[in-house]
Amino acid sequence: ILLFTGIILLDNDFLIEKYRFTNKVFFKKASYFSDFIKEKENVNLILGSSVIEDAIIPDSLGGKWFSFTNEFQNIYESYKFLDFYKDSVKIDTILIGITPFDFPKSFVNHYSTDGRSLNGGFYIFGEDSITTLKRERNKISIKRKIQLIKDEYFVNINQLLKIITNQNFSYLYAVWSKQGFSGRINATSRDLDKLFIEFSQGKDMPGSLFNRHNQYFKDVQSDPNFYYFNLFHSLSKSLDIETIYLLTPKSKYYHRALNQKGFDKIMDKILNGIKIKEATLWNYEKLETDTFGFHFFWDETHITHDAAKVFSKVIDKQF
């Protein structure tokens, strides 16, 4: 029955493509946004990668805000999204998160083999050599497609145990509001000070806990490439949209790693390049977070849901 079902569904792109299964949040959010703009004459957008996805609750900023933020969503993908919807709805304000991987030498020729600099779902807003890159590099066999269908609709014992013990990380991913909030509200806050000491003593830690800096600066040269930034910035200016480039809070361990590896110099060039273009930049990367009385981060760059409630109020006061 499973084999027969799989074969029937092979021609249905919505069901068989790998990223339609593993990136369900993206496609649900796209559907929500399509409905959202039907009811509005004008809207405000939050765009960017998971650091801003986790950090800002759009509902806290007002009823006209929608967060189209996704894992590893780079500025070119945000550009494709904006270009697709520019004639469908009036956009007053955009708050877009900036991440170092927005400035690679090239998304096509220097694409990270682990896919860290692309979300991959944005081909639905226009196919080109960048938006289809992740899909083309992850084509899968019929056997794998059938397995994906099985994994989608049938929970095995290992998945069930992970859900029971709260280790199933897919459980963390969902769109929690019709305004596109999909921050990981169930991500466990972590005492980074304690964990960093344990990490320094050789204790095994989750690979991404103190390694986001390497992911973010992969393929970014000492002279950052502003080509993709310029595409987005020029489009938003031509549409007369108030655009704010935002850097969300980062832990001291992230900044320490940047200083140790010389990434801080690259980041300075990125910040200076944005300022030269007279773009509005809100930089909260070094926000003092120890005064809030709770663990602000769940890894070196992503903030917790409690922290997002606080940070969303900070941003709301800025407007």
Side-chain angles (χ1 to χ4, degrees), residues 182-195:
S182 54
R184 282 158 281 195
I185 65 175
N186 298 304
T188 304
S189 62
R190 291 186 169 109
D191 184 346
L192 294 187
D193 293 334
K194 177 182 177 181
L195 289 173

Side-chain angles (χ1 to χ4, degrees), residues 22-203:
T22 61
N23 204 358
K24 288 181 286 187
V25 165
F26 173 88
F27 293 99
K28 179 174 284 189
K29 193 175 290 194
S31 176
Y32 280 179
F33 184 70
S34 180
D35 293 335
F36 185 78
I37 62 176
K38 291 176 183 177
E39 305 169 358
K40 306 285 190 303
E41 291 185 3
N42 55 329
V43 300
N44 302 317
L45 289 174
I46 303 170
L47 300 174
S49 66
S50 60
V51 289
I52 191 169
E53 178 183 16
D54 283 350
I56 298 183
I57 304 168
D59 312 57
S60 300
L61 304 184
K64 291 187 176 181
W65 284 90
F66 192 96
S67 177
F68 203 86
T69 52
N70 295 278
E71 280 191 294
F72 297 107
Q73 177 176 324
N74 61 57
I75 199 165
Y76 181 75
E77 291 174 318
S78 294
Y79 161 79
K80 294 292 290 188
F81 176 80
L82 179 59
D83 190 52
F84 183 84
Y85 280 107
K86 65 184 179 183
D87 298 320
S88 301
V89 64
K90 185 180 186 305
I91 301 167
D92 290 332
T93 304
I94 291 177
L95 192 61
I96 179 168
I98 289 296
T99 311
F101 61 62
D102 291 324
F103 304 87
K105 183 175 180 181
S106 168
F107 282 121
V108 177
N109 297 326
H110 294 265
Y111 172 67
S112 300
T113 55
D114 59 4
R116 293 301 183 184
S117 59
L118 287 170
N119 171 270
F122 283 77
Y123 61 85
I124 68 171
F125 303 119
E127 295 190 3
D128 58 36
S129 61
I130 295 176
T131 58
T132 59
L133 183 59
K134 196 167 186 177
R135 183 180 64 175
E136 291 301 313
R137 294 198 180 188
N138 290 279
K139 284 185 175 179
I140 50 179
S141 65
I142 291 177
K143 180 180 178 181
R144 177 58 180 150
K145 289 173 182 177
I146 293 173
Q147 183 62 46
L148 285 169
I149 293 168
K150 177 184 175 184
D151 293 343
E152 173 72 5
Y153 294 108
F154 301 95
V155 178
N156 63 41
I157 187 63
N158 290 330
Q159 291 172 320
L160 186 61
L161 288 173
K162 286 181 179 180
I163 292 172
I164 294 172
T165 59
N166 198 29
Q167 296 179 40
N168 182 19
F169 293 102
S170 64
Y171 158 71
L172 303 177
Y173 296 87
V175 185
W176 308 108
S177 82
K178 292 296 180 69
Q179 290 180 234
F181 179 59
S182 54
R184 282 158 281 195
I185 65 175
N186 298 304
T188 304
S189 62
R190 291 186 169 109
D191 184 346
L192 294 187
D193 293 334
K194 177 182 177 181
L195 289 173
F196 189 80
I197 292 173
E198 294 177 354
F199 177 76
S200 301
Q201 294 173 346
K203 183 176 179 179

Side-chain angles (χ1 to χ4, degrees), residues 165-297:
T165 59
N166 198 29
Q167 296 179 40
N168 182 19
F169 293 102
S170 64
Y171 158 71
L172 303 177
Y173 296 87
V175 185
W176 308 108
S177 82
K178 292 296 180 69
Q179 290 180 234
F181 179 59
S182 54
R184 282 158 281 195
I185 65 175
N186 298 304
T188 304
S189 62
R190 291 186 169 109
D191 184 346
L192 294 187
D193 293 334
K194 177 182 177 181
L195 289 173
F196 189 80
I197 292 173
E198 294 177 354
F199 177 76
S200 301
Q201 294 173 346
K203 183 176 179 179
D204 290 337
M205 292 287 167
S208 61
L209 188 60
F210 294 109
N211 194 45
R212 296 292 185 183
H213 57 279
N214 284 326
Q215 297 171 355
Y216 295 169
F217 284 88
K218 195 167 187 176
D219 303 332
V220 182
Q221 295 190 314
S222 58
D223 289 321
N225 177 17
F226 273 79
Y227 175 76
Y228 305 106
F229 177 91
N230 291 339
L231 281 175
F232 182 90
H233 189 59
S234 297
L235 178 59
S236 64
K237 285 184 67 176
S238 71
L239 297 172
D240 197 27
I241 299 172
E242 180 185 4
T243 302
I244 300 156
Y245 298 95
L246 176 71
L247 284 89
T248 58
K250 308 294 191 301
S251 74
K252 60 187 175 184
Y253 298 104
Y254 175 79
H255 293 294
R256 180 183 298 179
L258 263 55
N259 292 335
Q260 290 175 344
K261 297 193 175 184
F263 292 157
D264 57 326
K265 296 180 177 61
I266 300 176
M267 197 65 214
D268 286 342
K269 289 182 179 180
I270 290 174
L271 298 179
N272 290 332
I274 295 174
K275 292 176 182 177
I276 288 172
K277 298 178 187 302
E278 299 182 346
T280 302
L281 178 66
W282 291 357
N283 188 351
Y284 287 95
E285 278 206 317
K286 294 185 179 180
L287 179 71
E288 179 53 60
T289 60
D290 291 339
T291 60
F292 289 107
F294 59 87
H295 298 312
F296 209 79
F297 299 92

